[in-house]
Amino acid sequence: MSPRGVATPDVRERLFAAAERVLEKGGPGALTSRAVTTEAGCAKGLLHTHFAGLDEFVAELCLDRFARTATKAEALSELVGHGSVAGNVEAVALGLLDAGGPAVAGLAMTRPAAALRVREALEAGAPGFAAIQEAIAEYLLAERGLARVARTVDPAAAALALVGTAHHLLLTGRPGTPEPRAQLTRLVGALVGE
């Protein structure tokens, strides 16, 4: 545990990673500021030093994970003509489910103030599903231009189907439902045809 008064390096990421572990172990009901700071091995008040409260923390966690996946999606433009098209797209689509994606999305939905903050940030231009969808569509269009994707594939529709499905799986995933990663992998194969 970090002693009081000692700077904690990369505090946001440390707290975010701890929250994902708490969610993985105990689900949304287990997430408290104390559980997060205990899991992170830091002072109990650290979360409230950096965030206005648990709702702001949850919203920032969601937005951070969306931004990471959007960055990964934007990097698709560097992969045009390289590797497997399905593999490249699948990596981005599955990125939406990585790092506790379903649990984090479910948590945000159970906290109305956090859900509102996320929605407002996305409406204000924070990277989210729209940025990911756009990057996938642009990538598929470029790959179609190289004949690595069939001419019959509509890049915008395929990107919408992928991101819409990931969104659906994030919001409906819970114990007992089919494994979302396998579903997204099958969808990528069906849409891209590899």
Side-chain angles (χ1 to χ4, degrees):
M1 171 132 359
S2 299
R4 285 185 159 211
V6 175
T8 304
D10 300 323
V11 69
R12 283 175 56 93
E13 182 52 37
R14 185 171 176 183
L15 291 171
F16 289 165
E20 289 171 335
R21 290 190 302 273
V22 169
L23 287 169
E24 186 178 310
K25 292 176 194 172
L31 192 88
T32 63
S33 58
R34 183 172 296 272
V36 171
T37 55
T38 298
E39 180 69 28
C42 58
K44 301 296 177 219
L46 188 64
L47 186 143
H48 293 284
T49 300
H50 292 274
F51 301 93
L54 195 56
D55 286 326
E56 180 182 322
F57 173 76
V58 168
E60 290 297 318
L61 170 60
C62 287
L63 292 167
D64 179 80
R65 293 330 193 215
F66 279 151
R68 282 182 176 203
T69 306
T71 298
K72 190 181 229 181
E74 289 165 1
L76 281 171
S77 64
E78 299 167 16
L79 299 176
V80 174
H82 302 284
S84 157
V85 173
N88 293 340
V89 171
E90 183 180 320
V92 172
L94 293 178
L96 287 164
L97 303 178
D98 286 344
V104 171
L107 174 65
M109 297 306 294
T110 65
R111 303 187 69 86
L116 177 62
R117 285 183 66 91
V118 169
R119 187 172 63 245
E120 289 172 346
L122 292 174
E123 288 171 356
F129 287 118
I132 296 163
Q133 180 181 331
E134 183 178 313
I136 292 171
E138 289 174 3
Y139 170 73
L140 290 174
L141 182 62
E143 290 287 19
R144 192 176 72 178
L146 295 177
R148 288 174 28 104
V149 171
R151 280 266 182 240
T152 56
V153 171
D154 178 340
L160 174 61
L162 282 169
V163 173
T165 299
H167 186 237
H168 168 74
L169 293 170
L170 283 170
L171 294 179
T172 61
R174 61 189 176 285
T177 58
E179 211 296 297
R181 296 176 67 81
Q183 291 176 305
L184 268 184
T185 297
R186 284 194 320 273
L187 180 60
V188 168
L191 292 171
V192 185
E194 279 192 15

